[in-house]
Amino acid sequence: MKILANDGIAPGGKKQLEEAGFEVITTKVAQEQLSNYLKENKISGLIVRSATKVRKDIINECPDLKIIGRAGVGMDNIDVEYARSKGIHVFNTPAASSASVAELVFAHLYGGVRYLHDANRLMPLEGDSRFKELKKNYAGGRELRGKTLGIIGFGRIGREVAKIALGIGMKVIASDRTEGEALITLEFYNHQEIKIPIKTEPVEELIKHSDFITLHVPSQKEPVLGREEFGQMKDGVGIINAARGGVIDEVALVEALDSGKVAFAGLDTFEHEPSPAIKVLMNGKVSLSPHIGAATNEAQERIGYELAHEIIKVLK
């Protein structure tokens, strides 16, 4: 049987599939050619990330397709329920990349409170001529220790974020539609562990109490944070979105940044990918990354093994 990893697969996962007798194809097929390619090559399994869309037309036209694996968390690029109604097994790998996304959240947080995102833009251009002025401009940073981090969405990634926050001495509050109280386990290198209970509260309360806010929710029809929510936040709050584009109203965010209500934002996902709004990209108060939350070597290896395990279990 043939497996098309259209957006790639880590070597470990590919090897595992091949050892189980699958032919693994890593050729990148353009979206408009995908349906024909799957049909002509009698592809049994399709592995995608967020770039490849698997809609009803592809599902209808590819009778050999038995399994669709999403290398990552969100499955909004797949017509999941329709595929399942046609007998296709659809799955994702939510646990494999959680730690990588959480670490990126803190890369943006640490960079934001010390202005590193902007300093890295200007130092190569003006560091030799305006060093003392830049030093003055980027003084007055803040520490994360002792501050309150509000986590909207307290699933696997939200909990990994909480672990790091608790480990560096932050207070954590969380909001989640399904979770009441969650027990966070901090594990240390010497096998010791500490369990800390985290109670959840409504978003409208969380945003009032948080010094920094990070979102970890699936794609939404309406933004979670918009003009009204920004108005209720503390002055000088920091906002991080490493979840999905559209969960923040970016027009309202830029307004809040320009007014000083929001001190900085860290964005890994954008409302209009792969062409984010210029006003967002050019704003000096925004720390930017191109949707790389899960893109660490370690996460990709874990994802590859998880994909291979599920495919072998279902098809063999």
Side-chain angles (χ1 to χ4, degrees):
M1 286 183 281
K2 297 178 181 179
I3 306 296
L4 173 63
N6 203 45
D7 299 320
I9 184 172
K14 182 174 183 288
K15 182 181 179 183
Q16 193 173 349
L17 285 168
E18 289 173 339
E19 288 176 348
F22 292 95
E23 179 184 345
V24 182
I25 303 166
T26 56
T27 302
K28 174 65 177 177
V29 181
Q31 184 70 49
E32 60 272 16
Q33 299 170 356
L34 184 59
S35 182
N36 285 336
Y37 188 92
L38 294 172
K39 189 164 44 178
E40 291 173 4
N41 290 277
K42 296 184 177 180
I43 301 295
S44 300
L46 175 62
I47 295 171
V48 301
R49 299 187 194 279
S50 57
T52 301
K53 309 292 187 288
V54 190
R55 301 302 182 199
K56 291 181 181 179
D57 58 334
I58 291 176
I59 295 165
N60 286 333
E61 294 170 11
C62 301
D64 294 297
L65 195 59
K66 296 180 177 63
I67 190 167
I68 302 170
R70 165 67 166 95
V73 182
M75 295 199 289
D76 41 293
N77 57 319
I78 304 170
D79 285 337
V80 177
E81 294 307 318
Y82 187 76
R84 286 173 176 165
S85 75
K86 297 294 183 179
I88 298 173
H89 182 74
V90 185
F91 71 100
N92 61 353
T93 57
S97 59
S98 299
S100 294
V101 177
E103 289 192 9
L104 183 65
V105 167
F106 277 86
H108 280 293
L109 274 173
Y110 274 117
V113 294
R114 298 305 296 270
Y115 313 113
L116 296 182
H117 56 288
D118 200 47
N120 279 322
R121 289 166 169 166
L122 291 185
M123 279 295 288
L125 301 174
E126 302 176 355
D128 60 339
S129 59
R130 298 177 56 224
F131 188 89
K132 290 183 178 179
E133 187 178 343
L134 293 178
K135 181 178 179 180
K136 183 178 179 180
N137 289 346
Y138 298 132
R142 290 182 286 170
E143 295 181 356
L144 295 181
R145 184 180 301 274
K147 306 300 191 303
T148 298
L149 178 66
I151 303 173
I152 300 177
F154 211 47
R156 290 182 178 88
I157 297 174
R159 295 180 190 211
E160 287 296 328
V161 170
K163 290 178 184 179
I164 299 175
L166 292 167
I168 63 173
M170 299 186 81
K171 177 184 177 182
V172 173
I173 54 179
S175 181
D176 193 274
R177 290 178 180 174
T178 58
E179 293 293 337
E181 181 175 290
L183 199 63
I184 299 299
T185 303
L186 297 183
E187 299 170 342
F188 299 94
Y189 71 96
N190 57 359
H191 306 296
Q192 292 185 1
E193 61 181 38
I194 300 174
K195 296 184 184 296
I196 301 174
I198 303 291
K199 289 185 178 180
T200 61
E201 59 184 50
V203 170
E204 54 266 28
E205 293 300 317
L206 177 146
I207 59 178
K208 296 175 184 176
H209 307 145
S210 301
D211 299 302
F212 308 98
I213 298 170
T214 178
L215 294 99
H216 301 287
V217 295
S219 182
Q220 310 280 310
K221 291 181 179 179
E222 298 292 334
V224 177
L225 300 181
R227 190 172 285 108
E228 181 180 347
E229 287 75 22
F230 287 125
Q232 296 173 22
M233 295 176 188
K234 289 183 176 183
D235 291 339
V237 67
I239 306 289
I240 308 294
N241 181 18
R244 280 287 179 267
V247 299
I248 295 178
D249 180 337
E250 292 181 358
V251 173
L253 174 62
V254 171
E255 290 174 359
L257 287 164
D258 291 344
S259 72
K261 183 69 177 182
V262 175
F264 71 89
L267 301 180
D268 184 52
T269 60
F270 303 86
E271 192 172 347
H272 302 291
E273 292 185 24
S275 302
I278 293 297
K279 284 189 175 182
V280 173
L281 297 179
M282 297 302 291
N283 194 300
K285 294 182 178 180
V286 180
S287 174
L288 302 157
S289 57
H291 205 151
I292 56 169
T296 63
N297 294 335
E298 294 87 347
Q300 293 310 308
E301 279 298 319
R302 289 193 295 269
I303 287 170
Y305 284 122
E306 196 169 329
L307 288 166
H309 175 79
E310 186 70 9
I311 290 169
I312 293 167
K313 183 179 75 173
V314 171
L315 296 185
K316 286 289 186 178

